[in-house]
Amino acid sequence: MKTIALSASAMLMASTALADVQTRAVTFENEGATLHGTLYLPEEYDGAKLPTVVVTGAWTSVQEQMPANYARQMAGRGFAAFTFDFRGWGKSGDLPQHVRFVESPEAKTSDIRQAIQFVSTLPEVHSAQIHGLGICASAGYMVDAVSGNPLVKRLGLVAPWLQNEEIVETVYGGKEGVAGLIEVSHAAEAAGGQVIPAAGPEGAEGVLMPIGGYYYEADRGAIPEYDNKWNNAGWEGWLTYHPADNPQRLDKPLAIVHSESAAIPQGVRTFLAGFAGEATAKWLEDVTQFDFYDNPEDVTRAADVVAEHFLSNSES
């Protein structure tokens, strides 16, 4: 792995408050469903074709949460940025058999690929300068979606959740815990789905994330647009998804921003150890996973790194 040191110019564009941005609601189709997205443009957009960043967020999230925060950061730096709701989430249409709220790596990767294709046709977009930015769980999906994709130039990952079998077992109660959740997944799928709350107060029972914090706080992630739902039918697909073990598929220059205080940093180290391409890894001190989603200082610092990474390939 070749590592590029960041220069002091990493902070060149975000030391001041970001300007307001323009937004435009759009829709596109994938596998028979209509997906709803938002294009973000600089406040003083003049009609030129812009380098563009497709932004995706954490599991169970909708586009108005952390994807919107980073899209605004990118637009404030002169990029166009695009966010959208995956099939089965937010404003977008259903997965097959009218299924919703399934965290499906396969389906979400397909949606990202189609979003990139759609974005490349927009008049505001410089089709030779499209980049991907994946946050948390969607980092792996974004890696899959941009690998081998000629429309994408560079990739940025923020607080990436890059798991493998070892990490999955550590997080989800060992081999027995994982096997039990896969049984839950099979039962839910056979029943046509079993939807539970995604977030709840610390210690809540029958909730995917009984931890309080970002997803449960109204002034953070618990916004009106958030579905706050999880379909237990998605457990098997999620638990058997191991992006940390497959870095060799990525053929794009990569920038990662993470922290030892955030989620599963060992997954990032495993991924980078097997990645032979051009990589920048920026480790911030004492930044939690949730702070990467919406803490202004930390979001800005992460956006600085990925913006410089994308701008380093800004030739016409």
Side-chain angles (χ1 to χ4, degrees), residues 80-93:
F82 186 71
T83 65
F84 65 95
D85 286 329
F86 291 102
R87 282 177 292 157
W89 302 91
K91 301 182 186 71
S92 289

Side-chain angles (χ1 to χ4, degrees), residues 6-148:
L6 287 174
S7 69
S9 64
M11 301 295 290
L12 61 87
M13 303 190 75
S15 58
T16 60
L18 290 174
D20 290 336
V21 301
Q22 302 180 39
T23 61
R24 178 161 70 87
V26 298
T27 60
F28 63 102
E29 303 293 315
N30 189 31
E31 298 184 21
T34 299
L35 285 76
H36 288 252
T38 304
L39 182 68
Y40 292 75
L41 297 166
E43 181 183 23
E44 302 300 329
Y45 176 65
D46 62 2
K49 291 184 179 293
L50 299 177
T52 300
V53 184
V54 176
V55 187
T56 56
W59 73 346
T60 82
S61 65
V62 294
Q63 61 174 311
E64 292 87 358
Q65 293 173 311
M66 71 292 292
N69 291 337
Y70 281 86
R72 288 184 177 277
Q73 290 274 343
M74 294 297 106
R77 291 162 169 77
F79 294 88
F82 186 71
T83 65
F84 65 95
D85 286 329
F86 291 102
R87 282 177 292 157
W89 302 91
K91 301 182 186 71
S92 289
D94 298 343
L95 289 163
Q97 286 78 55
H98 306 293
V99 169
R100 296 189 67 79
F101 315 123
V102 168
E103 189 67 34
S104 169
E106 181 180 4
K108 287 193 168 185
T109 298
S110 174
D111 291 345
I112 296 171
R113 290 195 186 104
Q114 190 61 26
I116 292 166
Q117 174 63 41
F118 170 71
V119 161
S120 72
T121 69
L122 296 177
E124 300 91 343
V125 170
H126 189 325
S127 62
Q129 289 296 326
I130 297 174
H131 313 286
L133 173 54
I135 304 161
C136 191
S138 72
Y141 314 154
M142 185 64 78
V143 170
D144 289 339
V146 307
S147 295

